[in-house]
């Protein structure tokens, strides 16, 4: 429905799509990893984002998504999935 084409935080063991960003791109590339989300620079597309629930990672992911949206060459969207967690970084997303 959202035309998501890849996941921004996954592994070969928990990915739904064949393309995903992962924490260990050196090991995961043969299985479809696009590399680290923080090095990923899509210019268009729809992506699912379910980052680890660590405040520093959430802040970095938010900043990266905002930078990507600001420089997008075409339609770009992120479907963000988070736990119901009352934290300032979750509210900032």
């Amino acid at each position: 429905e959202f035309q998501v084409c890849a996941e921004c935080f996954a592994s070969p063991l928990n990915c739904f799509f064949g393309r995903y960003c992962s924490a260990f791109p050196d090991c995961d590339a043969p299985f479809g990893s696009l590399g680290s989300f923080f090095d990923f620079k899509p210019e268009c597309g729809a992506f699912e984002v379910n980052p680890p629930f660590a405040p520093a990672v959430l802040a970095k992911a938010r900043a990266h998504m905002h930078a990507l949206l600001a420089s997008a060459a075409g339609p770009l969207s992120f479907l963000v999935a988070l736990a119901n967690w009352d934290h300032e970084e979750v509210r900032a997303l």
Side-chain angles (χ1 to χ4, degrees):
E1 182 174 330
F2 294 103
Q3 298 180 357
V4 170
C5 60
E7 298 161 86
C8 296
F9 292 89
S11 79
L13 302 177
N14 73 353
C15 64
F16 179 80
F17 298 100
R19 304 299 279 165
Y20 57 91
C21 295
S22 67
F24 305 101
D26 55 334
C27 298
D28 298 342
F31 304 102
S33 175
L34 299 167
S36 168
F37 173 62
F38 302 113
D39 296 327
F40 186 50
K41 307 276 193 273
E43 295 183 354
C44 63
F47 303 90
E48 184 268 342
V49 182
N50 185 9
F53 304 143
V57 176
L58 293 172
K60 191 173 177 180
R62 176 176 44 87
H64 188 57
M65 286 186 288
H66 284 207
L68 292 171
L69 290 167
S71 64
L76 178 65
S77 63
F78 295 98
L79 179 65
V80 181
L82 296 171
N84 184 11
W85 182 31
D86 187 25
H87 192 279
E88 63 191 55
E89 279 305 327
V90 173
R91 290 189 298 273
L93 285 167

